[in-house]
Amino acid sequence: IQLVEPPESVVEKVSFLFNNLSMSNLPKKTEEMRTLIEENGKEFLRWLAQYMVMKRVSIEQNFQPLYNNFLTAIADKQLEKACKDETFRNIRILLRSDKRQAASNFGDRQLLKNLGMWLGMITIAKDTPILNTDLDLKSLLMEAYYKGQQELLFVVPFIAKIISSCGKSEVFTAECAWIRAMIKILAELHCEPDLKLNLKFEIEVLCKELQVDLRNVELEGVLKDTDRLLRVPQQLGDLKML
Amino acid sequence: ELTLLGVTQYYAYVQEKQKVHCLNTLFRKLQINQSIIFCNSTQRVELLAKKITELGYSCYYIHSRMAQNHRNRVFHDFRQGNCRNLVCSDLLTRGIDIQAVNVVINFDFPRNSETYLHRIGRSGRFGHLGIAINLITYDDRYSLRRIEGELKTAICPIPKSIDPKLYVAEHQMEGGDAA
């Protein structure tokens, strides 16, 4: 999608607003943004969603709770929808990207983690599901395992960041079937002897956060079921020849 | 201990009365996570903080005439992200160690290189990326070159637009999006 950039003066107003947004001036800045949205129409809304996700949320991880509150305060259904779509769009791009240099590609991995944390915040933490048609988390874990180390390096921390929002949800707790299924796979991965140590830590930290005892998670051998692994929908980039 | 590595430094020639206007322009053009703005006196810190708060900035201020516990409190709150910008005089002696601060502005240019280094320098060898912008008046013109020479660094005129790669982490998104 090609978005029309608003006039420079509007872009600068938005940038000034986000440079100075804080919890204490949230109501005032919310009003300002509502006015901007009213004056600039639908095209602007889509551009704004892209700006928020790409220039702010994915990079300024420290202010994600603030931007989440801001989005909630603006209370514009279209903007919320556009932000969510934009989040999925960026996640898909990063998932499909070339992962051969995963170990050194710190930037992309960090972006994906940040987007994962954000996605959890605007879905799970608000008792809204992540639909398989938008992003199939369980299949993604299986696909990454099938495709190898580099893919796991991207996917495991990403999934862990998303799931860590479970602590804030009434519906999607660590006990619900959807989340449990993923914890089971993570636990199974954790048993793999050649899993990178930092990924093991990532899984342990998540379980501690969710008060799940790894030793009590029953394993189903999902990762041993090769036929099933072969059939999962492909969300990551193709395997590259060496 | 302090290093200027990783910090891209710029200057802009301004008149004293244009400084606030210039600051406004910077805040409309740059992508700022958190910023620190330095003034040369405690009085100017308070005046500037008051002025820009009226203009819609999110800012706190600290200066050397405030009680230490009060300063600590404000600095702690700033570090927590309760506000976006901090106006201050010269009292940070260990260099900025707040990861989120990606823009430092010398609203008043310091008089010596040691002060400059304390304001702009980062502790540790792997300082995070950032930019420093110096507002230079006619009277500062010799100090600018002297400090640049003493610190063996380059302070360049500010370009029309600044590459986000120099101070916005994870800029790679731009490239990824083209795919």
Side-chain angles (χ1 to χ4, degrees), chain B residues 10 32 40 45 49 81 83 91 124 126 136 147 169:
Chain B
Y10 296 113
I32 302 170
N40 279 353
V45 167
C83 103
L91 36 71
F126 300 98
I136 302 291
I147 289 177

Side-chain angles (χ1 to χ4, degrees), chain A residues 3-31:
Chain A
L3 292 184
V4 184
E5 181 149 318
E8 199 179 339
S9 64
V10 177
V11 174
E12 289 185 1
K13 270 185 196 164
V14 170
S15 147
F16 184 87
L17 193 153
F18 276 97
N19 282 339
N20 286 293
L21 185 65
S22 70
M23 278 315 287
S24 55
N25 63 24
L26 197 70
K28 193 168 162 285
K29 299 288 178 192
T30 304
E31 275 319 304

